[in-house]
Amino acid sequence: MKPKRFLAIAAGSLSVGVAVVWLVCAASLPVRDGVLPLAGLRGPVSVAFDEYGIPKVTAESRLDAFRALGYVTAQDRLFQMDLLRRTSAGRLAEIFGEQAVALDVRQRRLGLSSVAETVVRRLPDDQSSVLAAYADGVNNFLEQMTMPPFEFLLLGYRPARWDPTDSLLVVLAMFQMLNGSEDDERMRTVMMASLPAEVTTFLLPSLDMYTAQLLTGETRHQAATPVPVKALAALRRTGAQSRAVHLSMVPDRKREIGSNAWVVGSGKTADGRAILANDMHLDVGVPNIWYRIQMQYGRVELAGVVVPGIPVVIAGSNGSVSWGLTNVEGDFLDLVRLEVNPNNPDEYATADGWERFTVRTEHIAVKGAADRIVEIKGTRWGPLADTPLMGQPVALRWTALDPEAVDLGLLRMDQARSVWDGIAVATRAGAPPNNVLLADAGGHIAWTYMGKIPVRRGLDGSVSLSWADGRTGWTGYIPPDELPRSIDPPSGYLVSANHRMTDERYPHVIGHAFANGYRAVRITERLQALERIREQDLLALQLDATTRLYDFYRELLQRLLSDEVTAQRADLVDIRRAINAWDGRADSESRGFALLVAFRRNLAASVFAPFLQGCREKEAGFVFDGDLDTPLRSLLSEQAPDTLPDPVRFADWKAFLLQELEETVNAFKAEHALSRVDDVAWGAVNRVRMVHPLSEAIPVVGKWLNMPDDAASGCGPCVRVLSGSLTASERMVVSPAHHADALFHMPGGQSGHPLSSHYRDQQHNWSQGRSTPLDAGKPIHTLTFTPGRV
């Protein structure tokens, strides 16, 4: 056969194949027009879809509205919903095979399925009835579905029915995302065991300079803890360790899974309205974690976002009250050090004597392989952690594993009519602990905590301790009326950016590893300066990319690269030009900032690692992470000879810093294939990364499932947060009685179906910072549900 003939046949076959695949995938596109029966309805429900595919659900009752919401959410996000429940329950290996077994074992160890089942049985009727109605809606869609979304076809399975416990599994997945990490307590425990107390206190300050400014009102904050020069000098280990080793120990990888939120009261706005601004920072993917909705039932009208699978408006407005959330970054998980009976490894010590470990057997189905059978040990405090701590077993005591701490209480926000009502709802809700910012139609504003926060006895939760003596542990949760709150402060605004919100006067421990307060200070300064505020002003603040956190490092390098130094070293001239070119912002076109970020990251690793070798010896996987800037700035400001990280190789700090800069520049040039560094824009290295979970598994066209890899503005310590895939998963600005002026945008789109016109139609507005209305727009399609079965 002639080559041209062969290529023509191959191309034709490929075209036919592509057409078949397209037709099969198109068959699973959501239905947007017509009349459909929906079992369980008590009356007709109308769902109007606007130009972005945002549904406006209109029903006579709450249950009918959520039943319809379950249906339309499943139409758009079924695979995402299934993946969320599977991840939480530890059932990924059923569809992904061997590669997912380790994650499944970890999840089975937590026993979230059992927690979800217990929570469902405990829920009050108003919550359990909504869960049941939502599940009915999802299952009605499953029964009517003729072709499942392409992910199910690719993986070769059909989704199981949706159970109310599945919604709780998704709730527990949110707990795990927001406050399920053991890392900080492991780090602190190793440091306390390996370092002098004065060094640990210095390296782990309770306040950074910005948070201190917010809590004390001082514009200049002196370091609370002086540099412990002699103690550090005694710890220092010099040697030929590689940068890779240093970076593995001090990776500077912590990214607060947090958010920005603020409320502005009547005295600061143009016409006396109160306005809420909220942008929640999460690792974004495809599709986005949020699903936009508008609902009207009875006298209630809601607009906001839900997580697919959870029938609760997480952030939004009901026309009387608007609410937004930020993660607390608190401590709601303790690692209980276990004392195992030396004569019987099946027992551990308790205040009541030796007690046997509970043991349960988990069967993990594995696609393409034999089932795995895993034995899971548990204690009265919780399951054993995956990994021992300094060679000793530890158990997990975590709010998410206590059914008493989990519910759908935020659902009742639909009935709130004032910030006082909103506080009552938030402080009684069992949810991942969050800061809740509130604004009401009367012009009032408020802040409080949501979720169950443990009351501890005999410990503060910062390090792992034994609870065997009975004098150490949790005694319950902070009562709702004792949770902190602020209403209508004299400043006229309230700000939460994952920083510490309470000072030493508050009697209960909230946490130890809050976010650096820079974002909160920047927001506060801008709100102080603004008058006659409107919604567009607050969106502009959400997009603010100023980052003064790096001013210190620029000034350090400007002093280092003096005229005298650059006169002797011509190779440093381009570097100084790059540093001087930085405009103080993290805009995509900002020059010099990328080099500053790389320098600070490498510098932190090289400065701290020589003093932390003892921690690595105590625990092989030890990493030092968190708010590194406070101790790092102190060391670099003082530059004491006895704290010079490597006195064997360098005569003084100046020589050390010059070498750090040179190595950073060389690595930066090699990584980005550059000949010079003075003209590199931040957007060249700062990209938006939004990936579909199956994109890498599909040859050639898989990348088409992802969102564009665009140059982006923003950074980790910016109000406009962006760090890899961690960024604003939505931006909302709303005054409760003025929805017509409310603004919203989010990445991606409403639909998880790649052939839908709503798969990526909101991406450009989000990436460019363009506002769109919060409420659904003019109806383009209308779907009507009627009572009955197919």
Side-chain angles (χ1 to χ4, degrees), residues 10-319:
S13 298
L14 181 61
S15 298
V16 171
V18 169
V20 170
V21 170
W22 190 91
L23 288 172
V24 169
C25 291
S28 60
L29 281 167
V31 175
R32 288 290 182 254
D33 289 292
V35 179
L36 292 174
L38 185 55
L41 287 181
R42 302 184 70 176
V45 177
S46 170
V47 183
F49 299 90
D50 73 354
E51 62 177 321
Y52 292 109
I54 301 166
K56 180 177 180 180
V57 179
T58 304
E60 295 177 2
S61 70
R62 178 201 253 185
L63 294 185
D64 278 359
F66 279 102
R67 188 171 277 107
L69 178 64
Y71 191 104
V72 297
T73 306
Q75 274 195 323
D76 278 325
R77 303 288 190 90
L78 183 61
F79 181 68
Q80 182 184 34
M81 294 168 66
D82 190 61
L83 205 58
L84 284 168
R85 65 175 170 178
R86 282 182 176 277
T87 302
S88 192
R91 294 183 54 205
L92 290 175
E94 294 178 13
I95 59 174
F96 293 125
E98 293 273 2
Q99 61 185 329
V101 169
L103 179 56
D104 279 359
V105 170
R106 181 188 175 200
Q107 294 301 108
R108 296 292 181 97
R109 194 180 301 277
L110 294 174
L112 298 182
S113 292
S114 176
V115 175
E117 291 167 2
T118 304
V119 171
V120 166
R121 292 194 295 268
R122 290 173 49 92
L123 289 178
D125 289 344
D126 64 325
Q127 297 179 33
S128 61
S129 60
V130 167
L131 270 186
Y134 185 84
D136 284 348
V138 175
N139 291 326
N140 268 264
F141 169 70
L142 289 174
E143 291 169 5
Q144 296 177 23
M145 180 179 68
T146 56
M147 181 68 69
F150 84 96
E151 295 97 337
F152 297 100
L153 298 175
L154 185 67
L155 294 169
Y157 78 101
R158 287 187 68 88
R161 290 178 61 80
W162 192 265
D163 189 84
T165 58
D166 293 326
S167 290
L168 268 302
L169 282 170
V170 181
V171 170
L172 294 169
M174 299 304 292
F175 267 91
Q176 199 165 8
M177 180 191 302
L178 296 173
N179 51 59
S181 175
E182 309 166 19
D183 292 350
D184 187 70
E185 187 165 332
R186 286 181 177 273
M187 176 191 74
R188 290 171 182 269
T189 301
V190 174
M191 292 177 72
M192 288 291 289
S194 310
L195 307 174
E198 59 184 318
V199 173
T200 302
T201 301
F202 170 72
L203 294 175
L204 300 171
S206 60
L207 286 180
D208 62 88
M209 62 179 289
Y210 299 105
T211 303
Q213 177 180 331
L214 292 167
L215 293 180
T216 67
E218 298 177 4
T219 56
R220 296 183 61 85
H221 174 65
Q222 300 298 320
T225 306
V227 178
V229 175
K230 291 184 178 180
L232 285 170
L235 292 168
R236 182 175 52 198
R237 307 269 188 89
T238 58
Q241 287 185 324
S242 68
R243 182 170 301 282
V245 171
H246 285 174
L247 286 170
S248 72
M249 193 183 306
V250 190
D252 195 20
R253 68 187 180 192
K254 182 179 179 183
R255 303 173 308 154
E256 289 83 11
I257 302 294
S259 306
N260 299 320
W262 58 88
V263 280
V264 182
S266 58
K268 294 281 290 182
T269 60
D271 60 2
R273 69 181 66 177
I275 309 176
L276 162 78
N278 185 205
D279 52 296
M280 296 182 281
H281 308 151
L282 296 169
D283 279 308
V284 291
V286 180
N288 190 14
I289 191 64
W290 304 118
Y291 187 71
R292 298 179 62 173
I293 64 156
Q294 188 172 350
M295 301 176 72
Q296 184 174 349
Y297 49 89
R299 298 173 60 187
V300 172
E301 184 153 351
L302 291 170
V305 292
V306 299
V307 174
I310 306 176
V312 176
V313 176
I314 304 298
S317 182
N318 67 12

Side-chain angles (χ1 to χ4, degrees), residues 338-351:
L338 299 176
E339 301 174 27
V340 179
N341 187 344
N343 300 314
N344 185 349
D346 294 329
E347 295 179 340
Y348 64 98
T350 74

Side-chain angles (χ1 to χ4, degrees), residues 707-780:
M707 292 298 122
D709 182 20
D710 292 334
S713 299
C715 67
C718 288
V719 176
R720 186 174 187 167
V721 166
L722 193 144
S723 178
S725 62
L726 179 70
T727 186
S729 58
E730 53 74 50
R731 294 187 183 99
M732 176 177 70
V733 183
V734 57
S735 178
H738 303 275
H739 280 201
D741 301 324
L743 309 175
F744 188 97
H745 61 220
M746 74 176 194
Q750 281 291 97
S751 178
H753 198 299
L755 297 184
S756 169
S757 59
H758 305 305
Y759 185 71
R760 62 181 88 236
D761 60 339
Q762 298 183 55
Q763 179 73 14
H764 187 69
N765 289 332
W766 172 82
S767 65
Q768 298 301 310
R770 295 177 181 173
S771 63
T772 56
L774 171 65
D775 280 352
K778 179 181 177 181
I780 306 297

Side-chain angles (χ1 to χ4, degrees), residues 547-561:
T547 175
R548 293 206 318 269
L549 194 74
Y550 282 89
D551 286 353
F552 175 88
Y553 302 99
R554 174 170 59 178
E555 292 164 5
L556 176 73
L557 289 179
Q558 287 173 332
R559 291 192 299 270
L560 183 68
L561 300 175

